[in-house]
């Protein structure tokens, strides 16, 4: 089984709809991240969390919110989706211990906003 | 600020050809450097990393050397295989950044033909 899972894998929605993307991990890592990937732009950080009570904005947080329901779960919400939020979204985790430089990514959620 | 620049793709090679994907960076201090690979339909996987100048990261026949004097971390492989076809991302982490976020280049698509 995959260590970092994301649901759904694909989603098509309409402008103005509320969307939630979910991420779960079995790696036991405290740190979790949400990135978006756009063609030609690499990945950019949306939000990150170092534990259940710690939520921080990344470089492109406008239009997004997150919830850290448990150590293993980190959800990303689009309160009112717009077409320029069409992208590939990745969740990642890391361990502040010996491998803290390494992030482990989920398979991604492809979101299309019409 | 911190940034990563990598060569545009796609890079198309025949099997057993030599591969170089160029990556240069701009950063304050001494960043950690990474190469991640994204196979079709999957999330990013760490390929290799280097955490200080002159370190060489290697994995699966790929290698990259942290060159501080030229601020580069070029990815090389002596003989590519069809199974190496993927998108390759160069990334850095600035140890002065408390978010531990990764800053990615735009990615380089590699296509290896039989």
């Amino acid at each position: 089984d995959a260590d970092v899972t994301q649901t759904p894998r694909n989603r098509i929605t309409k402008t103005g709809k509320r969307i939630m993307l979910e991420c779960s991990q079995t790696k036991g890592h405290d740190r979790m991240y949400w990135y978006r990937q756009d063609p030609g732009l690499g990945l950019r950080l949306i939000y990150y969390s170092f534990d259940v009570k710690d939520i921080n904005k990344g470089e492109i947080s406008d239009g997004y919110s997150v919830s850290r329901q448990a150590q293993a779960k980190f959800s990303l919400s689009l309160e009112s989706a717009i077409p320029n939020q069409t992208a590939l979204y990745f969740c990642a985790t890391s361990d502040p211990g010996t491998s803290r430089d390494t992030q482990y990514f989920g398979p991604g959620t492809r979101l299309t906003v019409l | 600020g911190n940034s990563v620049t990598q060569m545009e793709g796609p890079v198309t090679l025949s099997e057993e050809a030599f591969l170089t994907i160029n990556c240069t960076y701009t950063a304050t201090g001494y960043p950690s450097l990474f190469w991640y690979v994204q196979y079709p339909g999957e999330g990013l996987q760490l390929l290799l990393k280097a955490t200080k100048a002159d370190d060489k990261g290697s994995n699966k026949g790929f290698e990259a050397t942290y060159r501080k004097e030229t601020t580069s971390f070029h990815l090389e492989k002596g003989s590519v295989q069809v199974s190496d076809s993927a998108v390759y991302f160069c990334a850095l982490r600035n140890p002065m950044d408390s978010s531990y976020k990764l800053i990615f280049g735009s990615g380089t698509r590699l296509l290896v033909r039989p």
Side-chain angles (χ1 to χ4, degrees):
Chain A
D1 287 341
D3 295 319
V4 184
T5 57
Q6 294 183 232
T7 56
R9 294 294 310 275
N10 290 282
R11 181 72 184 268
I12 300 173
T13 191
K14 295 182 179 180
T15 297
K17 294 292 187 181
R18 184 179 188 276
I19 296 297
M20 178 180 286
L21 310 182
E22 299 186 344
C23 176
S24 295
Q25 52 112 348
T26 58
K27 299 187 76 66
H29 290 171
D30 287 328
R31 296 179 177 176
M32 299 187 73
Y33 306 79
W34 275 105
Y35 292 89
R36 67 176 274 176
Q37 181 183 16
D38 297 279
L41 292 179
L43 281 72
R44 292 178 291 167
L45 182 66
I46 306 172
Y47 270 95
Y48 62 100
S49 169
F50 284 179
D51 65 38
V52 174
K53 297 180 181 178
D54 178 78
I55 302 290
N56 302 279
K57 292 182 177 180
E59 56 186 308
I60 54 163
S61 59
D62 287 350
Y64 301 94
S65 62
V66 291
S67 173
R68 185 81 183 266
Q69 300 96 322
Q71 187 210 34
K73 296 184 181 295
F74 192 37
S75 299
L76 176 72
S77 293
L78 288 66
E79 297 300 326
S80 179
I82 55 177
N84 76 2
Q85 291 177 314
T86 294
L88 193 51
Y89 290 84
F90 288 102
C91 175
T93 72
S94 69
D95 177 2
T98 56
S99 62
R100 64 181 180 178
D101 273 343
T102 301
Q103 294 189 11
Y104 299 87
F105 286 80
T109 294
R110 184 170 296 281
L111 176 66
T112 303
V113 183
L114 302 177
Chain B
N2 301 308
S3 65
V4 175
T5 302
Q6 57 183 112
M7 61 190 291
E8 289 189 21
V11 174
T12 303
L13 296 173
S14 298
E15 206 165 22
E16 299 184 1
F18 184 85
L19 168 71
T20 299
I21 300 179
N22 290 336
C23 171
T24 56
Y25 67 89
T26 301
T28 54
Y30 299 90
S32 296
L33 301 174
F34 306 83
W35 277 101
Y36 278 82
V37 58
Q38 183 180 28
Y39 296 104
E42 299 183 12
L44 280 71
Q45 304 172 24
L46 178 67
L47 180 59
L48 53 85
K49 68 178 183 180
T51 58
K52 61 182 187 294
D54 299 325
D55 269 2
K56 177 183 286 188
S58 61
N59 186 27
K60 300 180 181 180
F62 291 89
E63 57 183 35
T65 301
Y66 189 145
R67 300 288 189 197
K68 187 163 179 62
E69 62 276 12
T70 55
T71 62
S72 65
F73 193 55
H74 304 321
L75 182 68
E76 297 181 336
K77 187 175 185 183
S79 177
V80 295
Q81 305 301 310
V82 172
S83 57
D84 293 326
S85 297
V87 180
Y88 292 82
F89 290 92
C90 185
L92 70 81
R93 186 183 79 75
N94 190 326
M96 305 301 289
D97 184 345
S98 60
S99 76
Y100 286 87
K101 70 174 180 285
L102 294 172
I103 295 172
F104 288 88
S106 56
T108 302
R109 183 176 299 278
L110 171 65
L111 176 61
V112 181
R113 294 180 170 163

